[in-house]
Short mmCIF file of all heavy atoms in Angstrom, two decimals:
data_model
loop_
_atom_site.label_atom_id
_atom_site.label_comp_id
_atom_site.label_asym_id
_atom_site.label_seq_id
_atom_site.Cartn_x
_atom_site.Cartn_y
_atom_site.Cartn_z
N LEU A 365 66.01 -24.93 -72.12
CA LEU A 365 65.14 -23.91 -71.52
C LEU A 365 65.63 -23.65 -70.11
O LEU A 365 66.38 -24.43 -69.54
CB LEU A 365 63.70 -24.45 -71.47
CG LEU A 365 62.54 -23.46 -71.44
CD1 LEU A 365 62.50 -22.64 -72.72
CD2 LEU A 365 61.23 -24.25 -71.30
N VAL A 366 65.20 -22.53 -69.53
CA VAL A 366 65.47 -22.24 -68.12
C VAL A 366 64.18 -22.36 -67.33
O VAL A 366 63.14 -21.84 -67.74
CB VAL A 366 66.08 -20.83 -67.94
CG1 VAL A 366 66.18 -20.48 -66.46
CG2 VAL A 366 67.45 -20.75 -68.60
N LEU A 367 64.24 -23.09 -66.21
CA LEU A 367 63.12 -23.21 -65.29
C LEU A 367 63.40 -22.35 -64.07
O LEU A 367 64.50 -22.38 -63.52
CB LEU A 367 62.93 -24.65 -64.83
CG LEU A 367 62.75 -25.72 -65.91
CD1 LEU A 367 62.60 -27.09 -65.25
CD2 LEU A 367 61.56 -25.42 -66.77
N VAL A 368 62.40 -21.60 -63.64
CA VAL A 368 62.55 -20.73 -62.47
C VAL A 368 61.51 -21.10 -61.43
O VAL A 368 60.31 -21.15 -61.72
CB VAL A 368 62.41 -19.25 -62.85
CG1 VAL A 368 62.59 -18.37 -61.61
CG2 VAL A 368 63.42 -18.87 -63.92
N GLY A 369 61.98 -21.37 -60.20
CA GLY A 369 61.09 -21.66 -59.09
C GLY A 369 61.29 -20.67 -57.97
O GLY A 369 62.09 -19.72 -58.09
N PRO A 370 60.60 -20.84 -56.86
CA PRO A 370 60.69 -19.88 -55.75
C PRO A 370 62.05 -19.87 -55.04
O PRO A 370 62.39 -18.89 -54.37
CB PRO A 370 59.57 -20.31 -54.80
CG PRO A 370 59.34 -21.75 -55.13
CD PRO A 370 59.60 -21.88 -56.60
N LYS A 371 62.83 -20.94 -55.18
CA LYS A 371 64.11 -21.02 -54.48
C LYS A 371 65.33 -21.02 -55.39
O LYS A 371 66.47 -20.99 -54.91
CB LYS A 371 64.15 -22.29 -53.61
CG LYS A 371 63.09 -22.37 -52.54
CD LYS A 371 63.30 -21.31 -51.46
CE LYS A 371 62.32 -21.48 -50.32
NZ LYS A 371 62.52 -20.49 -49.26
N GLY A 372 65.13 -21.07 -56.69
CA GLY A 372 66.28 -21.10 -57.59
C GLY A 372 65.86 -21.33 -59.03
O GLY A 372 64.67 -21.34 -59.36
N SER A 373 66.85 -21.51 -59.88
CA SER A 373 66.60 -21.73 -61.30
C SER A 373 67.45 -22.89 -61.81
O SER A 373 68.50 -23.21 -61.25
CB SER A 373 66.87 -20.47 -62.11
OG SER A 373 68.23 -20.08 -61.98
N VAL A 374 67.00 -23.50 -62.90
CA VAL A 374 67.69 -24.63 -63.52
C VAL A 374 67.84 -24.35 -65.00
O VAL A 374 66.85 -24.03 -65.68
CB VAL A 374 66.91 -25.94 -63.32
CG1 VAL A 374 67.54 -27.07 -64.15
CG2 VAL A 374 66.87 -26.33 -61.86
N TYR A 375 69.09 -24.46 -65.50
CA TYR A 375 69.30 -24.39 -66.94
C TYR A 375 69.19 -25.81 -67.47
O TYR A 375 70.03 -26.66 -67.21
CB TYR A 375 70.67 -23.80 -67.27
CG TYR A 375 71.02 -23.90 -68.74
CD1 TYR A 375 70.18 -23.35 -69.70
CD2 TYR A 375 72.19 -24.53 -69.16
CE1 TYR A 375 70.48 -23.43 -71.05
CE2 TYR A 375 72.50 -24.62 -70.51
CZ TYR A 375 71.64 -24.07 -71.45
OH TYR A 375 71.93 -24.17 -72.79
N LEU A 376 68.13 -26.08 -68.21
CA LEU A 376 67.86 -27.40 -68.74
C LEU A 376 68.52 -27.52 -70.12
O LEU A 376 68.07 -26.91 -71.08
CB LEU A 376 66.34 -27.60 -68.84
CG LEU A 376 65.79 -29.02 -68.90
CD1 LEU A 376 66.17 -29.81 -67.66
CD2 LEU A 376 64.27 -28.99 -69.07
N LYS A 377 69.59 -28.30 -70.20
CA LYS A 377 70.34 -28.44 -71.46
C LYS A 377 69.57 -29.24 -72.50
O LYS A 377 69.80 -29.09 -73.70
CB LYS A 377 71.69 -29.09 -71.20
CG LYS A 377 72.61 -28.24 -70.33
CD LYS A 377 73.94 -28.94 -70.09
CE LYS A 377 74.85 -28.09 -69.21
NZ LYS A 377 76.14 -28.79 -68.93
N GLU A 378 68.68 -30.11 -72.06
CA GLU A 378 67.77 -30.86 -72.93
C GLU A 378 66.59 -31.30 -72.09
O GLU A 378 66.66 -31.34 -70.87
CB GLU A 378 68.47 -32.07 -73.56
CG GLU A 378 68.96 -33.10 -72.56
CD GLU A 378 69.67 -34.28 -73.22
OE1 GLU A 378 70.02 -34.19 -74.41
OE2 GLU A 378 69.87 -35.30 -72.53
N GLY A 379 65.48 -31.61 -72.75
CA GLY A 379 64.31 -32.06 -71.99
C GLY A 379 63.01 -31.41 -72.40
O GLY A 379 61.95 -31.77 -71.88
N VAL A 380 63.07 -30.45 -73.33
CA VAL A 380 61.84 -29.76 -73.77
C VAL A 380 61.33 -30.42 -75.05
O VAL A 380 62.05 -30.49 -76.05
CB VAL A 380 62.10 -28.27 -74.02
CG1 VAL A 380 60.79 -27.56 -74.37
CG2 VAL A 380 62.75 -27.62 -72.80
N ILE A 381 60.09 -30.93 -75.01
CA ILE A 381 59.50 -31.59 -76.17
C ILE A 381 58.06 -31.13 -76.39
O ILE A 381 57.44 -30.53 -75.50
CB ILE A 381 59.50 -33.12 -76.01
CG1 ILE A 381 58.60 -33.55 -74.85
CG2 ILE A 381 60.93 -33.67 -75.84
CD1 ILE A 381 58.35 -35.06 -74.77
N ILE A 382 57.56 -31.41 -77.57
CA ILE A 382 56.12 -31.39 -77.84
C ILE A 382 55.71 -32.86 -77.80
O ILE A 382 56.21 -33.66 -78.60
CB ILE A 382 55.80 -30.77 -79.20
CG1 ILE A 382 56.24 -29.30 -79.23
CG2 ILE A 382 54.30 -30.89 -79.50
CD1 ILE A 382 56.12 -28.66 -80.60
N ALA A 383 54.87 -33.24 -76.86
CA ALA A 383 54.52 -34.65 -76.71
C ALA A 383 53.74 -35.15 -77.92
O ALA A 383 52.86 -34.46 -78.45
CB ALA A 383 53.69 -34.85 -75.44
N ASN A 384 54.09 -36.36 -78.35
CA ASN A 384 53.34 -36.96 -79.45
C ASN A 384 51.94 -37.32 -78.99
O ASN A 384 51.66 -37.47 -77.81
CB ASN A 384 54.07 -38.19 -80.01
CG ASN A 384 54.09 -39.36 -79.02
OD1 ASN A 384 53.90 -39.18 -77.82
ND2 ASN A 384 54.33 -40.55 -79.52
N ARG A 385 51.03 -37.48 -79.95
CA ARG A 385 49.69 -37.95 -79.61
C ARG A 385 49.80 -39.39 -79.15
O ARG A 385 50.46 -40.22 -79.79
CB ARG A 385 48.77 -37.86 -80.82
CG ARG A 385 48.62 -36.44 -81.36
CD ARG A 385 47.92 -36.47 -82.71
NE ARG A 385 47.87 -35.14 -83.30
CZ ARG A 385 48.04 -34.89 -84.60
NH1 ARG A 385 48.29 -35.89 -85.44
NH2 ARG A 385 47.99 -33.67 -85.06
#
Side-chain angles (χ1 to χ4, degrees):
L365 204 64
V366 172
L367 305 179
V368 180
K371 299 293 186 179
S373 62
V374 171
Y375 172 56
L376 201 60
K377 295 180 180 178
E378 62 181 14
V380 184
I381 65 170
I382 297 172
N384 68 340
R385 299 169 185 142

